């Protein structure tokens, strides 16, 4: 399967702009390229009831993050702390760089 090109990578700080979790911010834990979704720490939490097993003898309720579609989030510019669209700029040596549209500052990979 071809890997979809995304401007958001693991470790980035993002802000949710649509849906039930609007205005929530968090760090990207995983990028699901096949479905254009991401998993954000502490956002879109789901509960799952589990039976007792040998690994978990008590069973109980497990809380975990569910994916959010990429179109519902924006990258946070580390320089200004605001959500911004991102452009890709190709340097003369072929290196691709992410640029925040609001400020024009480069956004480093995975540490936004």
């Amino acid at each position: 399967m071809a890997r979809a090109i995304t401007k958001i990578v693991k470790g980035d700080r993002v802000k949710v702009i649509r849906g039930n979790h609007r205005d929530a911010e968090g760090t990207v834990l995983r990028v699901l390229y096949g479905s254009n979704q991401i998993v954000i720490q502490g956002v879109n939490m789901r509960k799952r009831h589990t039976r007792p097993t040998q690994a978990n003898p008590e069973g109980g309720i497990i809380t975990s993050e569910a994916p959010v579609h990429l179109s519902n989030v924006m990258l946070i510019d580390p320089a200004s702390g605001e959500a911004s669209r991102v452009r890709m700029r190709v340097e003369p040596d072929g290196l691709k760089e992410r640029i925040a549209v609001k400020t024009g500052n480069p956004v480093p990979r995975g540490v936004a």
Side-chain angles (χ1 to χ4, degrees):
M1 174 186 345
R3 187 169 158 159
I5 296 175
T6 178
K7 296 174 182 166
I8 297 175
V9 296
K10 180 180 176 180
D12 283 343
R13 296 236 353 121
V14 293
K15 180 177 183 177
V16 180
I17 58 171
R18 294 279 184 272
N20 294 337
H21 303 282
R22 173 183 278 164
D23 296 329
E25 295 181 6
T27 305
V28 176
L29 299 176
R30 279 192 327 252
V31 179
L32 306 172
Y33 292 100
S35 58
N36 289 328
Q37 294 181 326
I38 59 173
V39 177
I40 307 169
Q41 183 177 8
V43 176
N44 200 18
M45 301 299 286
R46 298 289 183 239
K47 292 189 177 191
R48 181 171 163 238
H49 297 261
T50 60
R51 299 183 133 185
T53 61
Q54 286 184 346
N56 185 10
E58 294 185 13
I61 302 171
I62 297 174
T63 304
S64 63
E65 293 93 354
V68 176
H69 198 269
L70 277 172
S71 64
N72 295 330
V73 298
M74 287 181 83
L75 190 66
I76 295 177
D77 181 13
S80 65
E82 296 180 11
S84 174
R85 289 181 317 226
V86 179
R87 288 201 176 105
M88 298 299 279
R89 180 172 63 191
V90 181
E91 298 293 327
D93 61 353
L95 183 68
K96 292 181 182 177
E97 186 176 36
R98 300 185 299 176
I99 305 295
V101 172
K102 274 189 181 178
T103 60
N105 295 331
V107 179
R109 287 221 173 265
V111 292

